[in-house]
Amino acid sequence: GVPRCGASLHEPNKALRIELNANANCIWQIQRNANQTIRLIFSHFKFAPSSSCETESIEVFDGPSTESPLLGQVCDDTDTVPVLESSSDSLTFLITTNSVAFARSFFLYYYFFSPASRTEDCGGELTGPNGTFSSPNYPAPYPEFRYCVWHIQAPKNSKINLQFQDFFLELDRYCQLDFTAVYDGPTTDSGLLGKVCGRAQPTFESSSNVLTVVLSTDDTNSYRGFSAQYSSAPLPGPVEPNTTLTCSSDSMRIVLSKSYVASLGFSEAHLQLNDPSCRPLVTDSVIFSFPLASCGTIKKDEGLSITYTNSISLAPAGHGITRQRNTEITAECRMRNNETLEVIYITKNNTIQHMAAGGRYNVSMAFYESELFSKPVKYSPYDVDLNQTLFAEVTLHSTDPNLQVFIDTCTASPEPESGSLTYDLIRSGCNKDDTVVTYPAFENHGRFKFRAFRFLRSFPSVYLRCGVVICDSTNSNTRCARGCISRQKRDISPHTWKTNTLAGPIRLKRDLRAAEYSESLTKAEAEKTPNPQQYNFYTLAFVVLISNILIVGAVVLKHHKHQAGYSYQNIQSS
């Protein structure tokens, strides 16, 4: 009874089987006045072969329409079982298909639940070389509408062997209803090793020392679930601490130990990257260090992330041995949101050795003396006059010429930490202070100027915090290209990476002079203590002076209250 293209759904839980053809643009809205959260699970999806996220995908929005914030996107190359949760009692998803003639099919189900009041009795953290775990209520039937996640971490330089000794879940062709999913990494965003259901005794092996296991159930049929145990074993081959990959916003650095290269049966003298002219520096280790946009590095834009990949070719040591084409070292730097995933895949005889670490783009912000942006302000705090024009520049330190910096948000606050009282200069790419002027994008820089704002009057010093978005400049449909976006039209355009950067403190020169005068006055009072008559005279003069200041100040503030953009009452309270 569900229309094949879109619907408005109000049931507390429901399963949907959707079939679509070419050129579909269908919206489903889930909403119910229940003050609960929605969990949406896409347990099976089949897109047109080789379709891209730009032309064919499922987009899920956290709210009642496609103007709500984007929760996630599911595409043909999605290597997970997507599970998305709303922040309220409404959720919307849009399925778009391209012009290829193909029968697409999707199976999903959703249900409302209350995370705060619900006691989770499954999932958790498992550490150590071995351990056991089971589904909730095992061997009794597992409960309905349950989503359990186990994170397993074994000692470093080891792999995990997972075995389900007893396994009995509801059976269907694509494991769409009740299923267990196993991921080769620390989260459910890691590569999917497999999804199983029915009766079986499946086993899995990780490529590193971390593994993630998921149990998802619906409300149709429940069985006894599973009992599982895991053990760890050393990774094949010597994986040494100095076999590493380091990614920055402008370069890639690969370090291989000589002993490890020799263990593969190769000589460091025969190593090269995609570009054969790029050779390593051989010291105590074998080191490749090169700019991201060189040495044959392959750049792939994936919408919300960008990946740089290069491979090391290995020639055998000695003569008379044919080259082993089944041995490969691939280094991958994936930039996404606030993190950079650094991965080395070493494949030998179909065995993958995998290592990962963290890194990020290098972004900085500085003030400059003029709009030439040639002389940075090198002292801190930065003492300025009220209404003085300040010039700020955000720089992405990268050798990739196709990356663009866009300043999405800039706020001023009295504290360097976020969360304190703020004054908006730029919000969603729109200038909120009438003195802000944004310069056109220039190479890897984002620039703007503004006047020392009224916010400085209320605080001794102020910090500038900017939210920065980095995009591929060759893509005309990015967040950077869209510029100012009003609050009514939320942004869902792709970007490569985003972060915050901080500059300051900024301080008014008059506050500096007042502080210096107060300090000198304190010293003078320490040297000479006035007699009571002098004290009374000083007190009377001080009271008269303060009264005059308050009267004059109130008149001035009342005269300028509309021009300043604040109410007179708010300024009094400040």
Side-chain angles (χ1 to χ4, degrees):
V2 178
R4 61 179 299 177
C5 184
S8 182
L9 308 170
H10 305 285
E11 296 89 342
N13 59 81
K14 193 173 185 66
L16 297 176
R17 188 183 306 277
I18 301 171
E19 295 181 354
L20 296 175
N21 293 317
N23 301 316
N25 192 65
C26 307
I27 298 174
W28 283 263
Q29 181 197 53
I30 307 170
Q31 190 167 15
R32 186 168 181 262
N33 295 325
N35 195 25
Q36 291 180 309
T37 297
I38 305 168
R39 178 174 286 143
L40 175 64
I41 301 175
F42 292 92
S43 55
H44 176 69
F45 49 91
K46 187 176 183 181
F47 293 96
S50 303
S51 59
S52 66
C53 289
E54 288 73 21
T55 62
E56 186 158 308
S57 69
I58 305 171
E59 291 178 308
V60 183
F61 302 90
D62 190 14
S65 73
T66 56
E67 298 296 319
S68 304
L70 181 67
L71 266 181
Q73 188 178 37
V74 184
C75 310
D76 181 54
D77 60 354
T78 299
D79 189 26
T80 62
V81 181
V83 179
L84 301 107
E85 295 183 2
S86 67
S87 61
S88 64
D89 56 6
S90 63
L91 189 147
T92 303
F93 64 93
L94 163 68
I95 303 182
T96 305
T97 64
N98 59 28
S99 59
V100 176
F102 184 80
R104 289 87 168 164
S105 62
F106 311 91
F107 187 87
L108 59 102
Y109 61 90
Y110 74 86
Y111 52 88
F112 286 80
F113 70 102
S114 301
S117 61
R118 176 176 166 182
T119 303
E120 295 288 352
D121 55 358
C122 63
E125 305 288 335
L126 300 172
T127 59
N130 51 70
T132 61
F133 60 100
S134 59
S135 57
N137 298 343
Y138 178 84
Y142 44 79
E144 64 181 19
F145 295 134
R146 195 56 55 95
Y147 186 75
C148 313
V149 182
W150 289 268
H151 300 282
I152 305 174
Q153 182 171 357
K156 291 182 178 180
N157 297 335
S158 64
K159 61 180 180 179
I160 298 172
N161 295 304
L162 175 65
Q163 181 177 5
F164 290 89
Q165 299 166 304
D166 185 21
F167 191 93
F168 191 2
L169 271 62
E170 184 176 5
L171 175 64
D172 68 276
R173 181 179 178 184
Y174 296 112
C175 295
Q176 301 169 129
L177 306 175
D178 299 339
F179 62 85
T180 292
V182 181
Y183 296 92
D184 190 18
T187 69
T188 55
D189 290 328
S190 309
L192 180 66
L193 287 177
K195 183 175 70 166
V196 290
C197 59
R199 297 199 66 172
Q201 287 188 319
T203 60
F204 297 93
E205 182 178 282
S206 69
S207 63
S208 69
N209 66 319
V210 286
L211 195 70
T212 302
V213 181
V214 168
L215 170 66
S216 178
T217 68
D218 67 356
D219 65 333
T220 51
N221 297 294
S222 293
Y223 299 91
R224 66 172 177 265
F226 66 78
S227 173
Q229 67 174 11
Y230 75 90
S231 59
S232 59
L235 280 170
V239 179
E240 302 188 12
N242 59 348
T243 305
T244 59
L245 166 66
T246 304
C247 300
S248 70
S249 54
D250 60 351
S251 66
M252 187 184 299
R253 179 182 173 89
I254 308 169
V255 179
L256 303 173
S257 66
K258 288 184 176 180
S259 59
Y260 182 67
V261 172
S263 72
L264 295 175
F266 299 105
S267 168
E268 61 266 16
H270 295 83
L271 301 179
Q272 64 183 32
L273 294 173
N274 287 346
D275 182 349
S277 65
C278 293
R279 297 282 181 163
L281 172 66
V282 180
T283 57
D284 293 339
S285 301
V286 180
I287 303 172
F288 287 94
S289 185
F290 53 96
L292 285 179
S294 68
C295 292
T297 302
I298 299 171
K299 175 183 174 182
K300 183 180 180 183
D301 186 357
E302 298 172 318
L304 293 178
S305 67
I306 193 166
T307 302
Y308 299 90
T309 305
N310 210 317
S311 297
I312 300 176
S313 300
L314 303 172
H319 301 283
I321 303 176
T322 59
R323 179 171 179 157
Q324 299 182 27
R325 298 185 182 274
N326 60 344
T327 300
E328 184 179 56
I329 296 179
T330 301
E332 179 180 291
C333 299
R334 178 174 298 174
M335 317 292 190
R336 180 184 175 96
N337 291 335
N338 269 347
E339 63 180 3
T340 299
L341 181 64
E342 303 162 328
V343 182
I344 290 183
Y345 295 98
I346 304 175
T347 306
K348 183 179 181 182
N349 297 327
N350 297 322
T351 298
I352 297 179
Q353 300 177 17
H354 162 274
M355 295 177 295
R360 61 184 56 213
Y361 274 124
N362 185 10
V363 174
S364 63
M365 180 165 59
F367 294 107
Y368 282 78
E369 295 181 0
S370 72
E371 61 183 353
L372 296 177
F373 292 96
S374 58
K375 295 182 179 180
V377 176
K378 297 182 178 179
Y379 46 87
S380 180
Y382 182 19
D383 297 316
V384 302
D385 292 313
L386 191 64
N387 291 325
Q388 175 182 334
T389 300
L390 309 184
F391 303 90
E393 179 184 79
V394 177
T395 300
L396 167 66
H397 304 279
S398 173
T399 57
D400 189 339
N402 293 324
L403 292 181
Q404 179 182 351
V405 175
F406 178 75
I407 301 173
D408 181 76
T409 301
C410 264
T411 60
S413 64
E415 301 292 338
E417 297 82 10
S418 60
S420 59
L421 182 65
T422 60
Y423 176 82
D424 283 354
L425 291 173
I426 302 172
R427 174 69 61 182
S428 298
C430 306
N431 296 341
K432 294 300 183 181
D433 184 280
D434 54 10
T435 69
V436 173
V437 176
T438 304
Y439 293 87
F442 173 70
E443 295 180 346
N444 291 340
H445 306 288
R447 295 169 172 173
F448 65 100
K449 67 179 180 179
F450 61 98
R451 290 182 184 175
F453 33 83
R454 295 174 295 273
F455 196 73
L456 275 167
R457 287 177 172 172
S458 303
F459 300 97
S461 62
V462 167
Y463 293 83
L464 195 65
R465 176 182 295 274
C466 291
V468 181
V469 174
I470 299 170
C471 310
D472 187 346
S473 61
T474 61
N475 185 350
S476 60
N477 187 34
T478 64
R479 173 67 189 92
C480 301
R482 294 188 63 186
C484 172
I485 295 177
S486 63
R487 184 176 300 177
Q488 288 76 22
K489 191 172 182 180
R490 298 179 183 270
D491 171 55
I492 59 171
S493 300
H495 57 270
T496 296
W497 189 76
K498 59 184 178 180
T499 188
N500 293 319
T501 185
L502 185 74
I506 310 168
R507 188 170 61 176
L508 279 180
K509 288 182 179 178
R510 70 176 188 182
D511 291 337
L512 177 63
R513 289 196 296 268
E516 292 173 346
Y517 176 75
S518 175
E519 183 178 354
S520 62
L521 187 62
T522 302
K523 291 181 180 178
E525 289 176 346
E527 296 174 357
K528 182 178 179 180
T529 303
N531 58 39
Q533 291 181 345
Q534 288 177 314
Y535 179 80
N536 291 336
F537 172 77
Y538 292 153
T539 303
L540 177 61
F542 178 74
V543 171
V544 172
L545 177 62
I546 292 300
S547 301
N548 289 335
I549 291 174
L550 290 174
I551 292 171
V552 173
V555 172
V556 172
L557 290 173
K558 187 173 183 181
H559 177 70
H560 292 288
K561 65 177 182 177
H562 296 294
Q563 180 180 358
Y566 293 98
S567 69
Y568 178 49
Q569 292 80 2
N570 287 341
I571 294 177
Q572 279 186 317
S573 62
S574 298

